[in-house]
Amino acid sequence: RLGRYREAEVLTRSALDLFAMAGDRLQISHCATNLGLVLNAVGDLHASRAALVQAVDALLEAGAAAERVALAVARKEELR
């Protein structure tokens, strides 16, 4: 496999901790999503799922879930 996944995991966890201390729910969602993808890439599916659930929860708490869904749908339409 290509990639420096363990380094990415460490850095992403550090960023996640900083955004948690700042209370920035939207950035927590971004970091948790990235962490989930990294963990999935290294085969840690349980931890990946937990990180992705954290990402969704933070997105809902930030009040940005509907906006993000609308952006995803719009992007999907662009790609057709």
Side-chain angles (χ1 to χ4, degrees), residues 3-5 8 13-14 18 20 25 28 43 53 56 62 69-70 80:
R4 294 164 36 194
Y5 296 113
R13 286 185 187 279
S14 293
L18 291 171
R25 303 305 295 166
I28 290 169
V53 167
V56 170
V69 169
R80 285 187 181 180

Side-chain angles (χ1 to χ4, degrees), residues 32-78:
T33 297
N34 291 337
L35 180 59
L37 295 174
V38 168
L39 293 168
N40 184 66
V42 297
D44 191 344
L45 302 182
H46 180 74
S48 175
R49 183 180 188 286
L52 294 171
V53 167
Q54 180 185 13
V56 170
D57 289 345
L59 191 62
L60 291 169
E61 291 169 9
E67 173 189 336
R68 297 297 165 150
V69 169
L71 288 171
V73 169
R75 180 68 177 141
K76 182 179 175 183
E77 292 300 317
E78 287 177 8

